[in-house]
Amino acid sequence: MSPNEQPLDGKVAIVTGAGRGIGKAIAKAYARAGAAVCCAARSVAEIHETLEDIVAAGGQGLAVPTDVTQIAVIQQMVKMTVETFGGLDILVINAGASGEKQPVEDSDPEIWLTTLEINLLGAYYCAKAAIPDLKQRGSGKIITVGSGLGHRGMVELSAYACSKAGLWMLTRVLAQELSPYNISVNELIPGPVITRMTQTAQVQSVFDIEGEWAKTPEEVVPLALFLATQPDIGPTAQSFSLIRRDN
Ligand SMILES: NC(=O)c1ccc[n+]([C@@H]2O[C@H](COP(=O)([O-])OP(=O)(O)OC[C@H]3O[C@@H](n4cnc5c(N)ncnc54)[C@H](OP(=O)(O)O)[C@@H]3O)[C@@H](O)[C@H]2O)c1
């Protein structure tokens, strides 16, 4: 790498949930690092705002309205990205929803299903749609944004915890399937981050853990950059966490 070269120069990335919070911070950071970034989420105004920030900082990108529960829409988003920028190197599966905070007994089955659809099925759809283009490049990275709750669980957040547990297993299986193609697949666990998701009264108890690091989305960026810039022979099927205390 020459002194002026940026670590993601020439790379193309898709970040789901790039309209706000953690996804927005990662999308902007990858663009600053030289990648062309497709920003995907449902809220059109939010992804356009992310794109405006990217362009204003001298980067390049695309904003594609995407609902990750719709596989045809995801396939179209991947196609647009590849047609616009010539390929795909990095997929960040970040879009997510917390669901309702309820004990299983009182939980709403519709909300349970929707949480699984966004956090797990949506991740599966994104990976499935992106794999052919990642393989085409000869190497690549998939980063799944998981949660400590997917490893240890939490009362009253069964749908969220189960969806993230499934996402962790999907991460591991994808890593095994894609290792022969130089595509590494790792989980990034942000720990508590101050975003719209955690500002709702329903999930504020995530912050009740004494001594935890309640961070800004920008504080997740160094780990996201680390995972995107590892060599082909680097880590895969691993979980990287910013959690301070696992209790
Ligand atoms: N914040 C934390 O403390 C924390 C901790 C651990 C893990 N995480 C994980 O980090 C990720 C980002 O969360 P965040 O805290 O940044 O939350 P956020 O600010 O609420 O952002 C969530 C993003 O996901 C998008 N999204 C939700 N449903 C979608 C759908 N069906 N299709 C496409 N995009 C969708 C949202 O956009 P639209 O609603 O416009 O579609 C938004 O851009 C999630 O996977 C979350 O589980 C967060």
Side-chain angles (χ1 to χ4, degrees):
M1 196 164 73
S2 73
N4 294 328
E5 204 177 323
Q6 295 172 292
L8 295 180
D9 251 351
K11 302 291 186 192
V12 180
I14 290 172
V15 181
T16 67
R20 59 179 186 262
I22 297 166
K24 182 176 187 172
I26 293 175
K28 288 169 62 175
Y30 281 7
R32 279 197 305 275
V37 182
C38 173
C39 306
R42 293 169 301 183
S43 304
V44 176
E46 289 187 350
I47 51 173
H48 278 282
E49 201 177 289
T50 305
L51 180 61
E52 279 167 25
D53 289 353
I54 286 172
V55 172
Q60 54 174 342
L62 195 62
V64 184
T66 308
D67 181 341
V68 296
T69 67
Q70 306 296 320
I71 189 159
V73 174
I74 297 165
Q75 285 165 334
Q76 191 57 32
M77 177 270 291
V78 172
K79 189 164 179 272
M80 273 182 74
T81 305
V82 171
E83 281 176 1
T84 307
F85 298 119
L88 179 64
D89 305 283
I90 303 162
L91 170 66
V92 182
I93 297 175
N94 165 78
S98 62
E100 293 266 320
K101 199 162 179 294
Q102 292 281 358
V104 171
E105 186 181 4
D106 304 325
S107 61
D108 179 340
E110 285 293 322
I111 295 174
W112 223 91
L113 186 61
T114 304
T115 307
L116 266 288
E117 276 176 347
I118 296 172
N119 295 355
L120 182 54
L121 209 59
Y124 156 74
Y125 288 155
C126 288
K128 181 173 167 58
I131 285 168
D133 291 297
L134 292 169
K135 279 185 177 174
Q136 185 73 31
R137 288 287 239 214
S139 71
K141 306 272 188 277
I142 299 178
I143 298 160
T144 60
V145 180
S147 168
L149 305 193
H151 291 243
R152 67 175 191 274
M154 179 173 268
V155 291
E156 300 187 344
L157 277 173
S158 60
Y160 184 76
C162 291
S163 70
K164 293 296 186 178
L167 180 63
W168 168 225
M169 187 51 68
L170 178 64
T171 305
R172 297 179 64 156
V173 173
L174 281 170
Q176 291 162 23
E177 290 183 358
L178 298 178
S179 160
Y181 304 95
N182 282 327
I183 299 166
S184 48
V185 190
N186 290 296
E187 179 185 56
L188 185 166
I189 296 184
V193 182
I194 302 151
T195 65
R196 191 180 309 169
M197 183 182 285
T198 46
Q199 288 312 287
T200 66
Q202 291 188 330
V203 285
Q204 262 176 4
S205 64
V206 171
F207 286 100
D208 289 347
I209 305 161
E210 197 188 326
E212 247 310 340
W213 177 23
K215 59 191 78 63
T216 63
E218 287 69 29
E219 287 174 306
V220 180
V221 160
L223 181 54
L225 276 171
F226 171 84
L227 292 174
T229 53
Q230 291 306 289
D232 291 348
I233 194 68
T236 193
Q238 304 303 314
S239 179
F240 292 81
S241 174
L242 293 173
I243 291 175
R244 184 166 159 79
R245 286 179 50 180
D246 200 11
N247 56 6

